[in-house]
Amino acid sequence: MFINGEWIEARSGATFEVTNPATGEVIGVVPDGAGEDATAAIDAAHGAFRDWSRTTAHERSRLLYRAWELMTERSEQLAELMTREQGKPLKAARAEVKYAADFLIWFAEEAKRISGDWLPSPRPDQRFLSVKAPVGVVAAITPWNYPISMLTRKMGPALAAGCTLVLKPAEATPLCARASYEVFIDAGVPAGVINLVTASDPRPVGEVFTGDSRVAKLTFTGSTAVGRQLAAKSAANLQRISVELGGHAPFIVFPDADPVHAAKGAAALKFLNAGQACISPNRLYVPRQHLQAFTDTLCTRVSRLQTGNGLEEGIGVGPLINDAAVAKVETQVEDARAKGAQVPVGGRRITQGLHAHGHFYEPTVLTGVTAEMNIYREETFGPVAPVIPYDDPDEVIALANDTHYGLAAYVYTRDIGTAMRAFEDLRFGIIGINDVNPTSASVPFGGMGDSGIGREGGHEGIAEYQETKTGGFVI
Ligand code: NAP
């Protein structure tokens, strides 16, 4: 763990092992922190806040710029570590490191754009000034599925704004967090400004983060269930919160779209990170007249995907993170099958040969999916593409919106009017129109409804770490 500028063991001396989800091999051992370690991390962040918040925006920008340079220089080592620890194929890991580094340079630039307003008063002897101040100590909790970019998406804006922070990464991916911290440390971040607590049981750390009144803000990315619990606890302390949560993205093919082109997009998008993405499409709505063409193309593409250890050449789909994740996918597919879905491709756990010690599930296509099936409402987080036929294009937006989640949605159409109406009517925070990658460090990322509160990235990303301060001056 990294507390007050030093790499240290847990106070208890406990440790836990980190395993490669493709092979079951132990690839590292890290300190197993608890509440007392989280408190020590907050002590350090609190102690460092005064000096860090008084640095100039240019100093903070230079540090983030240096961190961007170092992350870029180390991208190959970081990508390999990510594949071994989290499982995604090396090509996807390289893309994630690039995306992670993009947040550093974006917020290096945003740091210098922090400004305020000089405002009029009705009184001739009075002037108003309104400025942005850092919120204070930030507690961050991150998931395993994007183990480096989810850190930089929080650390970039927090540091740019002048906040100090404590971070608890997911139990499955502490090595990526450690390597990311080394980037910031080598870039010259002062002691106490960033602190890292690793833990196998997240609950005591979460209790301290949400219960310590010195923490001004909680930023969490993970499941809706955990985000809801933590937000409730933070509310008792009036901490500011950002919670980036789960999703259940619709992918709508309109009748005027090319079904083959749309199916290629769906095949590319759905199996990224083995389907373990909050913006992964979970409901593919296809008009009945295009069902055959769409499904044929999707099945051809999916049956060509090779599943295995992401360090090997040609692998398109890696392992799931653990056995519970495979079991969840298995249960959803069995439920759909029992309720009448067909499984033209995949549909089984892979346990033989080289796959014997990893957590693998075949890339799968389900057809004839209906609203009665669990997969229609539950986030899958696995390599399963559920195809849902529809008849009436006027009703498909209502079907797509029929979810408590509101993170991402995708639309395929060649008609500008249909595109604009869909963009306006879909109740989601991120919408891809003929676009399977509608994300970038330069745009806001976040959801509506049960997908969370707050936005990361873009101009809004830094605002989540700032308070507005108003000054009245009598002259
Ligand atoms: P998770 O189980 O909610 O865990 C997320 C983080 O919270 C991990 O660090 C976890 O630690 C920690 N945690 C769990 N229970 C906690 C508690 N009681 N107190 C404090 N911390 C606690 O989610 P996940 O399985 O890692 O991630 C997958 C979920 O994240 C999906 O629902 C996905 O959609 C969502 N996600 C959302 C976004 C977005 O931007 N909206 C991005 C990526 C992922 P442990 O690892 O030790 O359990």
Side-chain angles (χ1 to χ4, degrees):
M1 299 191 295
F2 188 72
I3 298 182
N4 210 14
E6 280 178 55
W7 288 106
I8 56 164
E9 298 304 320
R11 299 291 187 275
S12 67
T15 57
F16 66 97
E17 292 179 341
V18 184
T19 54
N20 179 333
T23 61
E25 170 203 4
V26 174
I27 56 168
V29 176
V30 295
D32 195 356
E36 54 187 343
D37 302 293
T39 302
I42 295 169
D43 290 344
H46 186 248
F49 178 71
R50 191 167 178 276
D51 285 349
W52 180 246
S53 61
R54 290 178 174 201
T55 53
T56 66
H58 283 69
E59 283 173 70
R60 301 195 298 276
S61 174
R62 269 198 299 278
L63 182 127
L64 285 167
Y65 183 79
R66 181 69 189 132
W68 170 77
E69 284 182 324
L70 290 173
M71 188 167 273
T72 305
E73 278 168 22
R74 295 176 194 178
S75 59
E76 198 54 26
Q77 299 99 290
L78 290 169
E80 277 177 30
L81 172 65
M82 191 188 299
T83 297
R84 287 198 295 126
E85 188 179 37
Q86 190 268 333
K88 68 179 51 122
L90 197 51
K91 192 173 158 209
R94 288 184 184 126
E96 181 181 338
V97 175
K98 162 87 175 58
Y99 179 55
D102 284 350
F103 287 104
L104 301 178
I105 194 156
W106 174 261
F107 286 108
E109 289 157 355
E110 287 292 282
K112 292 181 289 184
R113 314 269 178 266
I114 298 170
S115 61
D117 289 314
W118 181 253
L119 297 152
S121 162
R123 283 167 42 190
D125 65 339
Q126 188 184 40
R127 305 288 183 273
F128 285 120
L129 187 59
S130 164
V131 297
K132 300 293 177 195
V135 287
V137 174
V138 173
I141 300 180
T142 50
W144 48 266
N145 63 339
Y146 286 89
I148 297 188
S149 57
M150 294 302 98
L151 267 66
T152 57
R153 207 161 80 171
K154 298 184 187 307
M155 295 175 74
L159 293 177
C163 297
T164 56
L165 73 115
V166 293
L167 181 129
K168 191 209 79 68
E171 177 192 0
T173 54
L175 302 180
C176 278
R178 195 159 78 183
S180 304
Y181 263 63
E182 278 162 2
V183 165
F184 285 102
I185 294 161
D186 294 347
V189 70
V193 171
I194 61 169
N195 302 275
L196 177 69
V197 179
T198 48
S200 64
D201 180 355
R203 288 166 301 179
V205 177
E207 291 290 337
V208 170
F209 281 6
T210 52
D212 192 317
S213 57
R214 293 172 300 169
V215 172
K217 162 151 188 122
L218 176 79
T219 173
F220 170 85
T221 300
S223 62
T224 297
V226 173
R228 200 188 293 278
Q229 280 172 24
L230 292 174
K233 288 181 185 158
S234 282
N237 255 320
L238 294 180
Q239 292 172 342
R240 276 91 188 103
I241 55 162
S242 302
V243 284
E244 300 286 345
L245 309 177
H248 202 278
F251 181 106
I252 305 171
V253 182
F254 276 98
D256 70 88
D258 172 358
V260 171
H261 181 60
K264 288 178 185 170
L269 174 63
K270 175 71 231 189
F271 298 91
L272 282 176
N273 207 9
Q276 302 171 113
C278 50
I279 58 171
S280 191
N282 231 86
R283 290 169 286 147
L284 311 182
Y285 290 103
V286 181
R288 219 170 280 278
Q289 67 267 37
H290 289 330
L291 202 53
Q292 190 73 44
F294 182 91
T295 312
D296 286 353
T297 305
L298 182 64
C299 289
T300 305
R301 293 266 160 156
V302 175
S303 51
R304 276 195 222 140
L305 290 169
Q306 286 187 50
T307 304
N309 186 336
L311 286 178
E312 286 163 20
E313 203 54 38
I315 294 297
V317 180
L320 298 189
I321 193 67
N322 54 31
D323 204 52
V326 180
K328 182 178 179 197
V329 173
E330 228 169 12
T331 309
Q332 282 193 358
V333 171
E334 286 323 308
D335 169 79
R337 212 194 288 260
K339 290 174 182 163
Q342 293 83 52
V343 192
V345 180
R348 283 178 309 141
R349 188 190 272 261
I350 318 176
T351 54
Q352 302 300 312
L354 287 175
H355 297 94
H357 302 291
H359 310 293
F360 293 100
Y361 195 88
E362 289 177 339
T364 298
V365 176
L366 295 180
T367 56
V369 169
T370 64
E372 288 66 48
M373 299 170 188
N374 293 341
I375 200 160
Y376 192 89
R377 304 213 171 269
E378 286 175 8
E379 191 177 29
T380 302
F381 243 55
V384 184
V387 179
I388 304 157
Y390 74 87
D391 294 302
D392 184 353
D394 290 337
E395 285 180 6
V396 73
I397 297 283
L399 294 175
N401 280 338
D402 181 22
T403 170
H404 295 293
Y405 291 113
L407 188 55
Y410 304 88
V411 170
Y412 270 73
T413 176
R414 287 184 284 200
D415 180 76
I416 184 74
T418 305
M420 288 306 288
R421 268 193 303 278
F423 181 66
E424 284 177 6
D425 294 346
L426 283 165
R427 211 185 143 277
F428 294 82
I430 302 161
I431 299 175
I433 308 280
N434 302 317
D435 185 358
V436 292
N437 186 16
T439 61
S440 158
S442 57
V443 296
F445 185 109
M448 304 180 181
D450 283 2
S451 291
I453 300 173
R455 292 292 180 271
E456 293 190 319
H459 299 306
E460 291 173 46
I462 198 164
E464 300 277 343
Y465 297 89
Q466 292 171 320
E467 295 276 21
T468 300
K469 208 175 191 179
T470 299
F473 298 82
V474 172
I475 54 173

